[in-house]
């Protein structure tokens, strides 16, 4: 890790930093694209990193897309990417249930079609995707029919989240042997113009509150996101760089896993946010201080082109 935290990455420091790593992990939204528009210069950075022999991976807390959907979006934007370089929480949740939990049973899924597809790819049956309209009264809700083969409740982003889904999750989780797994705890999804919409963390908090249980979190800043990549590509954490725009997910993941960290200011967090954490004197907040920052990842281009 860098001796001095929150250092502006420029000049010769860029080349020195890139020379010190073999693998670079990028968050997506706010780092390499915003909405449907690539960050100017981002595709050149990614493609040149790969051309110089670096391993490049994309890790996102967004659970609404499969790996293939992300790879297709990246390809359309001019990025040289393969599907196996993409790690979203839909895919990583399936990996967690299969390889860590060793789940023997079905999943009640509060989530997206993408999550359903990723679970099915690894042989895990699920139910719950789509609307679940309310009917009956409280007695009916408390005695809603349950599938005895359901052994886990998995919560991701679900635009159809409802009282009935919350209730059904509660009834399954009344069984202490039923697992509760969440994709991420992001409470707000920032949009252009300073607007935001509720994120998965809001849905997950409702389920945790109703069930009086704490979920196992798969996504950033939990180390499992890194573990998922490292287990497939034999990464050396001492030679990895995590690049992101959010201090509480991307940078904290890097800190939790012992990676070098780079904040780009094209997304959510600001330099003032990072400096506030650095000056707080709070050990927990220091994990959200990046080693380096840039205005945009395009600032890496001169070192890669030279």
């Amino acid at each position: 890790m860098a001796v001095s935290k929150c250092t502006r990455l420029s000049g010769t420091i860029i080349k020195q930093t890139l020379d010190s790593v073999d693998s670079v992990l990028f968050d997506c939204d706010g780092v390499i694209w915003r909405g449907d528009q690539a960050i100017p210069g981002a595709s050149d950075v990614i493609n040149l990193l790969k051309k110089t022999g670096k391993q490049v991976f994309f890790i996102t807390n967004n659970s609404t897309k499969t790996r293939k959907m992300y790879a297709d979006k990246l390809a359309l934007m001019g990025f040289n990417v393969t599907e196996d370089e993409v790690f979203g929480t839909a895919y990583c949740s399936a990996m967690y249930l299969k390889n860590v939990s060793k789940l023997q049973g079905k999943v009640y899924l509060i989530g997206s079609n993408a999550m359903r597809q990723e679970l099915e790819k690894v042989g895990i049956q699920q139910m719950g995707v789509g609307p679940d309209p309310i009917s009956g009264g409280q007695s009916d809700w408390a005695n809603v029919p349950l599938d005895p083969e359901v052994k886990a409740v998995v919560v991701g982003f679900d635009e159809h989240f409802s009282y009935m889904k919350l209730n059904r999750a509660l009834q399954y989780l009344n069984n202490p042997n039923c697992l509760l797994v969440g994709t991420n705890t992001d409470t707000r999804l920032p949009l252009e113009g300073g607007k935001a919409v509720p994120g998965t963390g809001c849905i997950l908090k409702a389920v945790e509150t109703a069930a009086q249980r704490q979920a196992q979190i798969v996504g950033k800043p939990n180390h499992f996101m890194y573990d998922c990549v490292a287990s497939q590509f034999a990464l050396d954490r001492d030679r990895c760089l995590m690049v992101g725009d959010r201090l509480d997910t991307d940078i904290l993941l890097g800190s939790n896993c012992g990676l070098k960290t780079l904040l780009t200011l094209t997304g959510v967090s600001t330099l003032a946010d990072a400096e506030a954490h650095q000056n707080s004197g709070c050990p927990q907040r220091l994990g959200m201080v990046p080693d380096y920052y840039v205005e945009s990842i395009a600032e890496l281009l001169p070192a890669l082109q030279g």
Side-chain angles (χ1 to χ4, degrees), residues 134-149:
I134 198 162
S135 62
Q138 291 182 354
S139 178
D140 302 300
W141 305 338
N143 293 285
V144 67
L146 302 177
D147 186 332
E149 293 185 51

Side-chain angles (χ1 to χ4, degrees), residues 2-306:
V3 174
S4 177
K5 287 272 196 173
C6 215
T7 300
R8 175 67 184 262
L9 199 60
S10 61
T12 58
I13 304 176
I14 298 178
K15 186 176 186 308
Q16 291 169 6
T17 302
L18 293 178
D19 286 346
S20 73
V21 300
D22 301 318
S23 307
V24 188
L25 286 65
F26 287 92
D27 176 48
C28 295
D29 198 12
V31 177
I32 59 173
W33 69 56
R34 277 193 298 241
D36 292 320
Q37 298 294 318
I39 299 288
S43 61
D44 292 331
V45 169
I46 301 300
N47 297 343
L48 283 169
L49 280 169
K50 297 182 82 170
K51 190 174 180 181
T52 58
K54 307 295 185 190
Q55 290 183 299
V56 175
F57 304 98
F58 304 89
I59 58 174
T60 172
N61 275 356
N62 190 324
S63 64
T64 64
K65 290 182 174 63
T66 63
R67 301 177 95 186
K68 185 178 187 307
M69 290 164 71
Y70 268 113
D72 289 346
K73 177 174 180 174
L74 286 158
L76 284 172
M77 291 182 174
F79 294 87
N80 175 20
V81 176
T82 60
E83 188 177 328
D84 63 353
E85 294 166 335
V86 179
F87 290 80
T89 50
Y91 170 75
C92 289
S93 295
M95 289 295 98
Y96 181 83
L97 291 169
K98 180 185 177 184
N99 298 329
V100 179
S101 300
K102 311 287 187 186
L103 185 72
Q104 299 292 320
K106 298 178 183 177
V107 162
Y108 176 62
L109 177 59
I110 296 175
S112 63
N113 268 310
M115 294 185 70
R116 175 183 60 78
Q117 291 172 44
E118 296 289 16
L119 287 170
E120 289 176 349
K121 277 185 183 177
V122 299
I124 297 175
Q125 291 182 274
Q126 58 68 47
M127 60 190 65
V129 173
D132 188 358
I134 198 162
S135 62
Q138 291 182 354
S139 178
D140 302 300
W141 305 338
N143 293 285
V144 67
L146 302 177
D147 186 332
E149 293 185 51
V150 167
K151 305 299 182 187
V153 172
V154 178
V155 181
F157 185 80
D158 188 343
E159 62 193 27
H160 299 294
F161 184 61
S162 64
Y163 183 83
M164 282 307 291
K165 289 195 173 193
L166 178 61
N167 173 67
R168 211 175 292 274
L170 165 59
Q171 304 311 324
Y172 278 119
L173 291 166
N174 278 334
N175 175 359
N177 296 318
C178 184
L179 301 174
L180 175 56
V181 176
T183 58
N184 65 89
T185 57
D186 300 21
T187 54
R188 289 161 63 93
L189 303 178
L191 304 176
E192 295 291 336
K195 298 196 175 194
V197 294
T200 300
C202 299
I203 299 172
L204 180 60
K205 182 60 72 175
V207 174
E208 288 181 323
T209 303
Q212 299 181 348
R213 300 261 298 270
Q214 291 293 305
Q216 171 62 48
I217 307 302
V218 168
K220 299 174 290 184
N222 188 289
H223 65 84
F224 182 74
M225 284 291 276
Y226 171 80
D227 294 343
C228 203
V229 184
S231 65
Q232 295 182 32
F233 291 91
L235 304 187
D236 177 355
R237 69 181 65 232
D238 292 329
R239 295 190 60 82
C240 284
L241 175 66
M242 176 69 220
V243 184
D245 71 308
R246 292 184 71 137
L247 300 172
D248 59 344
T249 55
D250 305 319
I251 302 308
L252 187 54
L253 170 73
S255 297
N256 287 342
C257 297
L259 318 179
K260 298 176 179 68
T261 54
L262 172 62
L263 173 70
T264 176
L265 301 177
T266 48
V268 173
S269 297
T270 66
L271 180 58
D273 294 333
E275 290 173 339
H277 289 312
Q278 187 173 32
N279 297 328
S280 69
C282 173
Q284 288 79 16
R285 291 179 66 183
L286 289 178
M288 292 184 278
V289 181
D291 294 320
Y292 308 105
Y293 73 91
V294 289
E295 291 292 332
S296 162
I297 63 168
E299 292 183 12
L300 304 180
L301 268 178
L304 291 166
Q305 291 169 331

